[in-house]
Amino acid sequence: MENEKHHIVPYRLYIFVLIALLALTFLSIAITGIELGSLTVAGALAFASVKTFLVLRYFMHLKYDKPYIVAMVIFVFAIFVVTIVVTFLDYLYR
Amino acid sequence: MNSTSVANEANYLKYKGKYKGLLGWIFSTDHKRIGLLYLYSMAIMFSVGVLLGLAMKLELLAPGKTIMEAQTYNATFTVHGVIMIFMVVVPGLPAVFGNFLLPIMIGAKDVAFPKLNLLSWWFYVAGVFLVLSAILFGSGTPDTGWTFYAPYSFKSGTNLLPAIFGAFILGFSSILTGLNFLVTIHRLRCPGLKWTKLPLFVWTLYGTAWIQLLATPVVGITLVLVALERIFGVGVFDPALGGDPILYQHLFWIYSHPAVYIMILPAMGAISEIIPTFSQKHIFGYKAIIASTMAIAFVGYLVWGHHMFTAGMSGTAQYYFSLLTFLVAIPSAIKVFNWISTMYKGSINIQTPFYWAVSFIFVFMIGGLSGLVLGALAANIYVHDTAFVVAHFHYIVFGGTGFAFFAAIHYWFPKIFGRMYDKTWANTGWLIFFIGFVTLYSPMFYLGMMGMPRRYYDYLQEFHGGNILSTIGSWILVTGFVIIIVNLVRSASKGPKAEMNPWHGKTLEWTVPSPPPLENFDEIPVIEENDGPYNYK
Ligand code: HEM
Ligand SMILES: [Cu+2]
């Protein structure tokens, strides 16, 4: 259909993102060393979410894609989150 | 037809590509040939499934052992279920009619990824052979039921791994088809074909494709976990190791409830094409049908727990799942009202596809309403795991998806094969099939309410009468089935030549020759402002 715009992403940006991902990985390992109880999992998941966001936005080019593609990805994540919340309607109230 | 491009000189059935004969089919990336590959492979698997079903009904003709042992019965319903669900109704209409028609209906030459499309079929075949190998080799045919419930699925001594792996591969086939259709619908619509001008069958393929893409990976991962549990005893589902068997049920139904919409949505789409054509009238509530399709696809993700009411889930979850289950019934009912309103004051042209379509509405309503009985918490505890559930889902899966499939094959047959079937035999087959169907499954509602459990090879004396009736129904049904198949197979090669548009359909596939040429269109069609899929005057 329409012509796509092509973005040339500088290597520098990719390297920044890579460093950020590695740093976050070490952080999520480090957090398990601190005694946080059940919050440990939440912490690790929080770091993982930030990493996912970075990968999607830069490595998978969402930043440069059309808004409807972004909307689709958000929608899919929303379903994923709702599914987990609903499952926990069972586990938390059993 | 005006000038014909080189590729379009022969129709897709005759076209000679790089390979000849059978190879020219199994390596063809033409969406129409792939659609037929699916049709033939699914017809074979369906026939195997029917034979297993007949065997089970014969066993239930009398209490006690009739023709097989309990263990054989368990294996029979497992293989029957796995074949019918994963190899027949899940690929279902999208694999056959979606492949064949989607590109033509949107004015494209093929799907977006033709090679991926062929790969889907190869995955399908690989999955089929893996499951069959579980039957033929190893320590006995799987006996867990198509649901592979934990903990039994990792305790059973039978040869489950190949079956699980086969279902996993079949899942991949489904995911690839969904992905392909999504991209095709987004990217390959011909000029002027806006979203609000897409035929309703295409809309249902679109909704279905999302479910295929998003729900199927869940069952894939779940099956891998069962395999890991069997091989390494990782303890995700095994209570002895701190796991939770109910988690298996959650994961399984997170896929398998949306999967029932994979089965039924395209069926509804086909019915939405057939009803206006034979009512010779514009479809009533085009946008309402689209909205209900997307609503079903969406809400369908959120109701899986209604399969687990008696499994020991929390009361909060039970209320939630029951409430939402009632909600999904609304969009389904909207469609039924729209079909009926389409027929109202139409000039109805009664033909075989129309018979199938109206009987679809009839059985679909009984199936759907019995679903509401099951969705009510109190009633569910009473009839869960009885023959009532078996009646419910056969009414809706076989009566819904199955009838719609027969409606679709009788509707698009002249387009696909360029020949017409014998209408008298087709109508006779339909009538016998319909009578057989109702006789076979209706008694199960009664038997279930009286307390006959499902998945047993034996029953109490008091259930004998209903079971005899049901078994007789299975014989009537198979008689109709044989008539239908023989008629279609004969007519595909011997029937009289069909016109381009025998039913006066208004969608794009009726503007190309029957059978369509290799690349469908000589020139990509352009949709004008006033053109639309159902423009009946
Ligand atoms: C109005 C819509 C529907 C409602 C309210 C509904 C409700 C239910 C409920 C509550 C059950 C669980 C029964 C039990 O085990 O106790 C069930 C089972 C089932 N339903 Fe439906 N259903 C609906 C539509 C469908 C459709 C459209 C399909 C397929 C095309 C379908 C296929 C099945 C299958 C296969 C099972 C049994 C699975 C098994 O345990 O082996 N249902 N349904
Ligand atoms: Cu369900």
Side-chain angles (χ1 to χ4, degrees):
Chain A
M1 267 174 225
E2 318 95 288
N3 285 328
E4 313 283 308
K5 279 184 288 197
H6 280 282
H7 271 271
I8 303 197
V9 187
Y11 275 117
R12 205 163 11 99
L13 184 63
Y14 281 145
I15 293 181
F16 276 146
V17 176
L18 179 66
I19 293 172
L21 288 174
L22 288 172
L24 285 166
T25 308
F26 283 116
L27 279 176
S28 53
I29 298 171
I31 198 171
T32 55
I34 313 167
E35 197 45 68
L36 286 174
S38 57
L39 281 181
T40 316
V41 178
L45 279 178
F47 284 123
S49 312
V50 178
K51 282 162 66 186
T52 313
F53 175 78
L54 288 177
V55 170
L56 283 172
R57 194 164 160 85
Y58 294 100
F59 287 171
M60 301 184 75
H61 273 232
L62 266 192
K63 186 173 179 217
Y64 316 104
D65 268 325
K66 295 214 186 68
Y68 86 90
I69 306 232
V70 179
M72 281 182 178
V73 175
I74 293 177
F75 172 74
V76 169
F77 268 90
I79 292 195
F80 177 65
V81 170
V82 171
T83 310
I84 299 221
V85 169
V86 171
T87 310
F88 273 84
L89 283 182
D90 178 14
Y91 281 93
L92 293 181
Y93 294 94
R94 221 184 257 171
Chain B
M1 289 278 102
N2 32 25
S3 69
T4 312
S5 67
V6 184
N8 276 356
E9 268 162 15
N11 74 48
Y12 81 99
L13 292 170
K14 299 238 176 68
Y15 177 77
K16 293 218 172 35
K18 208 158 46 168
Y19 305 100
K20 281 202 247 6
L22 187 63
L23 291 186
W25 281 81
I26 62 175
F27 292 128
S28 166
T29 52
D30 175 30
H31 66 99
K32 298 180 286 301
R33 287 197 170 189
I34 294 173
L36 285 197
L37 286 177
Y38 270 113
L39 176 66
Y40 298 139
S41 17
M42 281 163 52
I44 295 171
M45 293 326 291
F46 181 73
S47 306
V48 175
V50 166
L51 289 177
L52 294 172
L54 282 176
M56 281 189 281
K57 283 279 91 173
L58 204 55
E59 168 56 40
L60 292 180
L61 185 58
K65 183 188 161 194
T66 315
I67 58 162
M68 57 174 97
E69 296 294 342
Q71 182 60 28
T72 320
Y73 186 83
N74 295 353
T76 311
F77 72 65
T78 302
V79 178
H80 169 82
V82 170
I83 289 180
M84 289 306 204
I85 298 279
F86 294 114
M87 302 176 194
V88 179
V89 284
V90 166
L93 280 89
V96 178
F97 301 104
N99 264 321
F100 196 96
L101 293 162
L102 170 64
I104 313 186
M105 282 184 155
I106 64 171
K109 290 189 171 173
D110 208 317
V111 292
F113 307 116
K115 286 186 184 154
L116 212 56
N117 204 13
L118 181 62
L119 185 66
S120 313
W121 181 74
W122 277 101
F123 273 156
Y124 175 87
V125 175
V128 167
F129 278 105
L130 271 168
V131 172
L132 293 183
S133 71
I135 304 172
L136 298 177
F137 309 109
S139 47
T141 309
D143 59 351
T144 57
W146 74 278
T147 45
F148 301 121
Y149 268 14
Y152 188 54
S153 56
F154 55 82
K155 291 242 149 73
S156 166
T158 55
N159 194 13
L160 262 168
L161 280 178
I164 289 178
F165 191 45
F168 181 81
I169 302 281
L170 287 166
F172 264 91
S173 163
S174 188
I175 294 174
L176 293 184
T177 305
L179 178 72
N180 219 335
F181 285 6
L182 272 184
V183 180
T184 307
I185 298 172
H186 271 276
R187 308 297 289 168
L188 297 187
R189 279 169 292 128
C190 64
L193 189 59
K194 294 186 296 200
W195 285 90
T196 47
K197 288 190 170 187
L198 285 181
L200 288 164
F201 184 57
V202 174
W203 265 107
T204 54
L205 289 175
Y206 184 70
T208 308
W210 272 108
I211 311 179
Q212 287 174 309
L213 193 65
L214 295 189
T216 319
V218 182
V219 78
I221 293 165
T222 313
L223 292 176
V224 170
L225 285 174
V226 171
L228 291 179
E229 194 87 55
R230 271 183 86 85
I231 307 172
F232 302 113
V234 286
V236 183
F237 302 130
D238 188 350
L241 299 173
D244 178 13
I246 297 184
L247 178 64
Y248 175 85
Q249 297 192 19
H250 273 299
L251 290 172
F252 182 80
W253 290 111
I254 285 175
Y255 163 71
S256 294
H257 186 80
V260 307
Y261 295 105
I262 296 180
M263 306 165 195
I264 201 70
L265 278 176
M268 293 167 155
I271 298 299
S272 306
E273 298 296 326
I274 293 168
I275 299 267
T277 303
F278 293 94
S279 307
Q280 310 194 54
K281 199 170 146 240
H282 193 280
I283 182 98
F284 183 89
Y286 173 80
K287 289 200 173 136
I289 295 187
I290 296 175
S292 61
T293 300
M294 298 319 274
I296 292 177
F298 179 70
V299 185
Y301 283 106
L302 309 176
V303 300
W304 72 85
H306 62 212
H307 296 272
M308 310 162 49
F309 286 151
T310 60
M313 62 157 65
S314 80
T316 316
Q318 289 184 332
Y319 285 130
Y320 161 85
F321 281 123
S322 180
L323 183 72
L324 275 152
T325 300
F326 278 94
L327 284 187
V328 250
I330 298 173
S332 313
I334 291 180
K335 287 182 191 281
V336 171
F337 289 126
N338 280 311
W339 293 324
I340 294 177
S341 314
T342 305
M343 290 187 256
Y344 178 66
K345 289 199 172 160
S347 145
I348 291 178
N349 171 16
I350 300 190
Q351 301 275 2
T352 319
F354 188 75
Y355 281 128
W356 281 107
V358 281
S359 49
F360 165 92
I361 299 180
F362 178 78
V363 286
F364 177 73
M365 275 175 57
I366 296 179
L369 291 174
S370 63
L372 291 178
V373 175
L374 291 166
L377 286 175
N380 182 277
I381 292 175
Y382 191 66
V383 285
H384 173 70
D385 258 346
T386 68
F388 190 92
V389 176
V390 182
H392 157 70
F393 69 74
H394 280 90
Y395 255 89
I396 209 147
V397 182
F398 193 7
T401 310
F403 276 36
F405 198 97
F406 283 117
I409 190 79
H410 285 95
Y411 180 52
W412 281 299
F413 188 91
K415 181 56 62 193
I416 295 177
F417 295 101
R419 290 177 186 273
M420 189 50 98
Y421 47 83
D422 184 306
K423 291 182 184 171
T424 316
W425 276 114
N427 292 343
T428 317
W430 164 78
L431 185 65
I432 298 177
F433 193 97
F434 181 70
I435 294 172
F437 181 88
V438 176
T439 321
L440 167 54
Y441 294 113
S442 305
M444 289 195 192
F445 280 125
Y446 169 78
L447 290 169
M449 280 190 283
M450 300 312 285
M452 183 178 136
R454 67 191 278 205
R455 294 182 173 171
Y456 282 89
Y457 88 130
D458 190 9
Y459 51 80
L460 299 176
Q461 185 58 42
E462 65 202 83
F463 302 130
H464 199 181
N467 274 297
I468 294 181
L469 190 59
S470 175
T471 303
I472 293 176
S474 73
W475 299 335
I476 306 178
L477 179 133
V478 79
T479 313
F481 178 63
V482 170
I483 294 177
I484 294 165
I485 295 300
V486 170
N487 183 29
L488 291 181
V489 170
R490 264 196 86 249
S491 310
S493 56
K494 300 213 174 61
K497 287 249 184 308
E499 303 154 42
M500 194 154 100
N501 188 0
W503 321 117
H504 313 296
K506 295 283 180 184
T507 32
L508 277 179
E509 77 272 23
W510 302 110
T511 63
V512 299
S514 312
L518 182 70
E519 293 189 333
N520 306 335
F521 302 96
D522 290 330
E523 268 166 46
I524 294 300
V526 177
I527 309 294
E528 305 293 341
E529 196 56 42
N530 295 325
D531 296 346
Y534 308 103
N535 260 339
Y536 292 91
K537 293 284 142 32

